[in-house]
Amino acid sequence: MTDSEGGPDLTKGGPEDPIEPAASGDRPLVVVENVNKHFGELHVLKNINLTVDPGEVVVVIGPSGGGKSTLCRAINRLEPIDDGTILLDGKELPKEGKELAKLRADVGMVFQSFNLFAHKTILDNVTLGPIKVRKQGKQESEKQAMELLDRVGIANQAHKYPAQLSGGQQQRAAIARSLAMRPKVMLFDEPTSALDPEMVNEVLDVMTGLAREGMTMIVVTHEMGFARRAARKVVFMADGQIVEENTPDEFFTNARTERAKDFLSKILTH
Amino acid sequence: MFDFGPFFDNIGEILDGFWATIRLAAAAAVLSLIIGTILASFRVSPVPVLRAFGTSYVNIVRNTPLTLVLLMCSLGLNDILALKFSDNSSTTYYWWAVLGLSAYTGAFVCETLRAGINTVPLGQAEAARSIGLTFFQSLRMIILPQAFRSIIAPMGSVLIAMIKNTTVAAAASYAEVALVTKTIVDKPSFASGVIPLFLGVAVGFLILTLPTGYFFGWLAKRMAVAR
Ligand SMILES: Nc1ncnc2c1ncn2[C@@H]1O[C@H](COP(=O)(O)OP(=O)(O)OP(=O)(O)O)[C@@H](O)[C@H]1O
Ligand SMILES: [Mg+2]
């Protein structure tokens, strides 16, 4: 099942398919093609190509400063790119404005620092998007939010404020907030690296569950256990390039590139 | 010399003057908060024209003496250009005073609010955008509510300054308490007791501003956002 290695010639949706099969079929959900990005002089994304199929979980791993966060942020355009294309479910990301906002609603993003809305209760955090963006009714949104909070195991915290929750609980709330938008794909940028060790697993468990249920996910993480359990593909990024794409088992036991072997030897001895 | 007789002889007029001051301050408080919020939104917006407008407005208005702003409103716009809110002269001067004072205070509200916006972590805006809120939605629902909570105390200072600035509205021919006081002193029948009169009016201002300060201090504590 690992035959999805970045072939550029995939059935890319274009203007010729007006009816969108909601994130289904065999068309890839995320296509990143020849993407470049600079921060001033610094070339942070160097000709990146990546394809993510529906239901696929891709783990992105690599040394600090390699461009992993920038790639994630480029995929929902929190960071503009210099050139190349990014297609989401066959559609190119619009430049700015309402269209972009609409598209972003389909891409869930979970941040390292949770970023729950500090002045709103957990429940309000989760219902805000459905009510204001999806224009869902309040009751329906709250019912759905409670189900999601229950699923991530913090239904009893619904009426608290983010600062009253532990890091692990906050991150699970943030995942519920993303899920409430019924996203086509979820991006996780080091979701567990700001957590105390004893809270890492409660978040990873939620993520593993999501992966099992078929959520398409791009996860920046150094959690090898999660990668092996949940990912179909590991992407190793360093110096702004994708250096290696491999299956988790192959990657962790028998990486093909020297750069990856070197990196792994460093994180494994810690 | 410290006979408070004249103060109490004129207490009726003075209280009317204070009432006029309160009406001016209350309307200007609301309007300047609105103007300041709009200006601050402009100044942080991604649209260059709006940003440029916000910046120019603040820089021009903040650096113009309030007396001049108010004279411009009353003499320039009302009297010469005849842009009147009403045929009743006290009503039209009242609204010009409200407008001038708010236009001026709005620039300070904007800058205070902008300082507040800077205290809101970037991640809040990113999370808001990532769930699909537009720029103005995230400003209105996520950024501004948190920004306001962080600047309640300094906003109190801006409003206290505004309350004291109402006295300049005399320049706009608006009969607030300072103008009333001056009229009393200028009466031929007024012999002595200027200092007690001024002291009385000063205490009147303390009665307006001290509770304002305490109220904002209390509100700031109550509304603080825990992070
Ligand atoms: N807003 C920015 N302005 C300028 N340079 C930036 C900005 N954001 C990131 N960079 C730089 O771009 C490079 C890639 O950063 P990025 O955050 O994508 O790396 P990363 O792989 O996520 O690293 P980490 O593991 O530390 O999170 C780094 O050198 C970083 O300093
Ligand atoms: Mg990063």
Side-chain angles (χ1 to χ4, degrees):
Chain A
M1 291 287 281
T2 53
D3 54 354
S4 55
E5 241 90 303
D9 182 30
L10 287 151
T11 46
K12 281 169 292 174
E16 73 275 6
D17 67 30
I19 317 146
E20 29 172 306
S24 64
D26 28 48
R27 158 173 97 185
L29 205 48
V30 181
V31 178
V32 178
E33 238 175 26
N34 302 326
V35 164
N36 282 287
K37 161 93 192 163
H38 291 81
F39 281 121
E41 290 291 287
L42 194 64
H43 199 171
V44 272
L45 295 180
K46 298 176 185 161
N47 212 36
I48 299 291
N49 288 285
L50 180 69
T51 305
V52 185
D53 290 330
E56 193 177 28
V57 176
V58 175
V59 159
V60 182
I61 193 168
S64 181
K68 307 180 296 295
S69 299
T70 309
L71 177 61
C72 261
R73 296 159 56 81
I75 290 174
N76 71 351
R77 216 163 193 292
L78 282 178
E79 220 44 276
I81 54 175
D82 300 342
D83 53 68
T85 44
I86 297 177
L87 302 179
L88 261 168
D89 203 10
K91 273 184 288 196
E92 192 165 349
L93 292 180
K95 288 282 175 279
E96 262 305 330
K98 286 221 165 61
E99 276 305 301
L100 177 60
K102 206 181 289 171
L103 211 117
R104 276 205 190 109
D106 290 338
V107 182
M109 176 121 189
V110 175
F111 302 85
Q112 183 175 356
S113 48
F114 331 133
N115 295 344
L116 289 171
F117 305 132
H119 64 306
K120 290 187 179 290
T121 62
I122 299 303
L123 184 62
D124 289 342
N125 264 274
V126 180
T127 56
L128 185 73
I131 293 174
K132 300 296 179 185
V133 179
R134 298 275 190 237
K135 312 287 182 202
Q136 252 173 244
K138 185 163 191 267
Q139 266 192 336
E140 183 195 351
S141 305
E142 285 186 352
K143 185 164 161 283
Q144 180 205 348
M146 288 310 296
E147 283 165 11
L148 286 169
L149 289 174
D150 190 43
R151 175 162 152 203
V152 300
I154 50 167
N156 54 348
Q157 313 289 329
H159 298 285
K160 291 191 182 164
Y161 286 88
Q164 296 170 295
L165 268 58
S166 74
Q169 291 172 326
Q170 288 190 54
Q171 194 60 299
R172 286 184 280 154
I175 293 174
R177 175 177 68 182
S178 286
L179 287 175
M181 301 303 292
R182 305 183 196 278
K184 292 176 181 164
V185 52
M186 297 262 291
L187 310 171
F188 293 80
D189 189 2
E190 306 207 31
T192 57
S193 56
L195 296 177
D196 291 339
E198 74 270 22
M199 294 172 189
V200 169
N201 280 330
E202 64 191 48
V203 172
L204 291 180
D205 287 347
V206 169
M207 291 168 57
T208 310
L210 275 180
R212 292 252 156 79
E213 289 161 34
M215 174 61 77
T216 311
M217 296 160 60
I218 299 176
V219 187
V220 178
T221 184
H222 292 166
E223 294 291 338
M224 232 189 307
F226 173 80
R228 289 192 131 141
R229 231 178 312 140
R232 177 135 64 114
K233 182 155 92 183
V234 168
V235 167
F236 176 69
M237 255 189 110
D239 304 322
Q241 280 170 310
I242 293 185
V243 178
E244 179 169 344
E245 259 189 54
N246 212 332
T247 60
D249 280 335
E250 273 290 304
F251 181 79
F252 290 113
T253 51
N254 195 12
R256 284 194 297 264
T257 55
E258 282 309 312
R259 191 79 176 81
K261 278 185 192 150
D262 181 51
F263 172 76
L264 286 171
S265 74
K266 280 180 191 135
I267 63 164
L268 294 182
T269 51
H270 275 277
Chain B
M1 189 152 145
F2 285 97
D3 173 15
F4 277 83
F7 175 75
F8 289 106
D9 292 343
N10 294 293
I11 190 80
E13 275 176 74
I14 292 171
L15 286 181
D16 283 348
F18 265 117
W19 178 235
T21 297
I22 291 170
R23 287 194 335 165
L24 173 57
V30 174
L31 192 58
S32 61
L33 282 175
I34 294 172
I35 292 176
T37 307
I38 294 172
L39 286 173
S41 313
F42 282 7
R43 290 205 71 174
V44 299
S45 97
V47 184
V49 184
L50 295 183
R51 272 207 308 273
F53 175 83
T55 310
S56 325
Y57 182 100
V58 167
N59 283 333
I60 293 168
V61 173
R62 197 172 50 163
N63 293 306
T64 308
L66 175 58
T67 318
L68 223 63
V69 174
L70 287 168
L71 279 177
M72 173 82 145
C73 288
S74 65
L75 291 181
L77 300 174
N78 187 74
D79 296 355
I80 296 174
L81 295 181
L83 297 167
K84 292 180 200 278
F85 284 97
S86 135
D87 288 334
N88 178 325
S89 77
S90 82
T91 311
T92 197
Y93 283 132
Y94 168 74
W95 283 110
W96 275 119
V98 169
L99 205 67
L101 190 56
S102 306
Y104 177 82
T105 310
F108 292 88
V109 170
C110 166
E111 289 308 275
T112 309
L113 194 49
R114 219 158 56 91
I117 290 173
N118 288 335
T119 68
V120 181
L122 200 60
Q124 296 284 308
E126 294 193 335
R129 285 156 70 200
S130 81
I131 60 167
L133 296 179
T134 61
F135 174 80
F136 281 103
Q137 278 180 319
S138 76
L139 193 63
R140 186 161 54 86
M141 295 168 195
I142 307 300
I143 311 301
L144 286 179
Q146 294 186 47
F148 268 114
R149 285 161 201 241
S150 73
I151 46 123
I152 290 172
M155 198 60 90
S157 305
V158 170
L159 291 186
I160 287 172
M162 185 275 289
I163 293 173
K164 294 186 294 178
N165 280 341
T166 54
T167 53
V168 181
S173 318
Y174 178 65
E176 46 63 60
V177 72
L179 190 61
V180 170
T181 310
K182 186 171 178 301
T183 319
I184 294 170
V185 175
D186 286 346
K187 278 186 202 162
S189 59
F190 190 83
S192 67
V194 174
I195 291 175
L197 186 63
F198 282 169
L199 286 177
V201 174
V203 169
F205 268 99
L206 282 181
I207 293 172
L208 291 182
T209 52
L210 272 184
T212 307
Y214 281 120
F215 172 72
F216 276 90
W218 170 80
L219 201 63
K221 277 209 196 89
R222 225 187 101 88
M223 304 290 287
V225 180
R227 294 202 192 279

